[in-house]
Amino acid sequence: MKRENQSQVTEFVLIGFSIFPDLQVGLFVVFLLMYIVTLAGNLAIMIIIRIDRRLHTPMYLFLGVLSFSETCYSLVIIPKTLVNLVVDIRTISFTGCATQMFFFLGLGGTNCFLLTLMGYDRYLAICHPLHYASLMSRQIFIKLVAGTWLSGFLLSLVETILIFQSPFCSSNTINHFFCHMRPVIKLACTVDNTIETVISLVSIVGLSGSFLLIVLTYIFILSTILWLPSACGERDKAFSTCAAHLTVVIMHFGFASIIYLKPNSPGVSDDDTLISVPYTILTPFLSPMIFTLRNKETKIALKKAIGREITLVHMV
């Protein structure tokens, strides 16, 4: 009976921003421009780190991995959203919805874990500088990065299976612009809310745990920085290397907590569509700019890369 009921729904309809018909064209232009800047920014970071050997350190390699993850994260959501803003039929297949949710949750979880590792890396570099090379060797770096991707997608796989094993036998209209967990769960024709409770607990533990670990590392970092002599400039350098990461952490976890730690309501409101925009579109858009503009070495490397390109153009 469960499979029979579930088979009745073969596709979903994404309501998305159709509830704001007068804003469709404007949203398409804004989102498209932000998407182009997001791709360009993350691509620039990855290229700069790749070609500048001075940036081949764990701190910048973590940033390169994060840029790659955020690029994939944007690809999962924004292109489909842009298409739905200019077409009348906003459908997504049952399998397509499950796939989108799997990659969205997997990449989102991976980003959280990467930001946590970046905080841990700064903790080792500032609090244990003499042992940093051995504590964050190339082999350890590779294992940590592989662990973040594996953990993020393993949790995503569990959550996606739990959601889509439920029977969907009535409405197939998702009041959102992508296959978000909460509106999809609400379409399941079951009175058992165990799955929703389990997924909420996983989200709370994942977000809160990662954020608390970052806070803990920065408590140790701050206590160490305050002991550094201000005259030698090491204190300013330490603050500078942490500023961009801490800014992105606050933005990323702040927007994520609004979505995933929000109390459940009897119905899905229009606000759920709007409050997801900062986390899914604005955060990937701002993140590369923050890391580039607030980091001295990446700015220098970017200026040099641009200078080389201009020189080549003039030579041609």
Side-chain angles (χ1 to χ4, degrees):
M1 178 65 71
K2 185 175 181 180
R3 291 181 180 177
E4 181 182 349
N5 287 338
Q6 183 170 327
S7 65
Q8 293 180 17
V9 174
T10 59
E11 64 180 16
F12 295 99
V13 178
L14 295 168
I15 297 299
F17 298 100
S18 62
I19 55 178
F20 309 110
D22 297 334
L23 301 178
Q24 298 275 74
V25 176
L27 288 173
F28 175 83
V29 173
V30 172
F31 289 168
L32 178 61
L33 292 176
M34 292 177 69
Y35 183 51
I36 293 173
V37 173
T38 299
L39 293 180
N42 284 318
L43 185 61
I45 289 175
M46 289 186 283
I47 292 175
I48 289 170
I49 294 174
R50 176 68 179 86
I51 64 178
D52 195 330
R53 297 189 64 84
R54 294 176 306 169
L55 303 182
H56 290 185
T57 61
M59 179 176 72
Y60 293 103
L61 293 176
F62 277 126
L63 176 57
V65 176
L66 179 65
S67 296
F68 174 74
S69 179
E70 288 197 332
T71 300
C72 298
Y73 179 83
S74 299
L75 286 169
V76 171
I77 300 297
I78 302 181
K80 178 66 175 175
T81 301
L82 290 174
V83 171
N84 288 344
L85 283 170
V86 295
V87 299
D88 295 327
I89 303 176
R90 303 176 177 87
T91 59
I92 184 170
S93 67
F94 188 91
T95 303
C97 186
T99 302
Q100 185 186 60
M101 184 181 295
F102 169 72
F103 281 103
F104 171 75
L105 294 175
L107 292 166
T110 299
N111 290 344
C112 287
F113 297 147
L114 283 172
L115 288 171
T116 305
L117 282 183
M118 292 173 75
Y120 175 66
D121 174 70
R122 291 300 81 211
Y123 160 74
L124 292 180
I126 295 173
C127 300
H128 302 282
L130 298 179
H131 303 285
Y132 177 73
S134 59
L135 293 174
M136 189 56 73
S137 64
R138 184 177 181 85
Q139 292 77 14
I140 293 176
F141 168 82
I142 293 174
K143 290 178 181 179
L144 288 174
V145 170
T148 60
W149 285 84
L150 181 62
S151 301
F153 279 95
L154 184 60
L155 289 175
S156 172
L157 180 63
V158 173
E159 291 177 320
T160 305
I161 290 175
L162 285 175
I163 292 172
F164 284 91
Q165 73 173 357
S166 303
F168 295 91
C169 55
S170 53
S171 175
N172 68 334
T173 302
I174 300 176
N175 193 9
H176 218 288
F177 61 92
F178 68 97
C179 289
H180 192 273
M181 289 190 299
R182 285 192 173 182
V184 173
I185 291 175
K186 291 180 183 297
L187 297 181
C189 52
T190 176
V191 295
D192 186 8
N193 61 352
T194 303
I195 293 177
E196 187 172 2
T197 302
V198 170
I199 291 175
S200 296
L201 287 174
V202 171
S203 300
I204 291 172
V205 172
L207 283 174
S208 302
S210 297
F211 184 72
L212 288 176
L213 285 174
I214 295 174
V215 170
L216 184 62
T217 59
Y218 271 99
I219 290 175
F220 287 113
I221 289 172
L222 183 61
S223 63
T224 301
I225 289 176
L226 293 178
W227 281 99
L228 295 175
S230 58
C232 68
E234 290 297 323
R235 181 184 295 182
D236 293 338
K237 182 179 179 181
F239 274 123
S240 176
T241 59
C242 295
H245 174 255
L246 194 56
T247 303
V248 173
V249 164
I250 294 173
M251 179 179 64
H252 180 91
F253 284 92
F255 290 147
S257 63
I258 294 175
I259 298 174
Y260 294 106
L261 306 185
K262 176 186 174 184
N264 288 326
S265 57
V268 180
S269 65
D270 296 341
D271 293 338
D272 290 323
T273 299
L274 295 176
I275 64 177
S276 296
V277 171
Y279 183 66
T280 56
I281 299 177
L282 187 60
T283 298
F285 168 74
L286 293 175
S287 181
M289 289 192 290
I290 293 172
F291 277 118
T292 302
L293 297 177
R294 293 190 63 88
N295 188 284
K296 184 178 179 180
E297 292 187 16
T298 54
K299 284 194 293 185
I300 293 174
L302 180 61
K303 289 178 181 178
K304 287 185 176 180
I306 295 174
R308 283 196 296 266
E309 291 298 324
I310 294 175
T311 302
L312 289 173
V313 170
H314 286 305
M315 290 177 62
V316 174

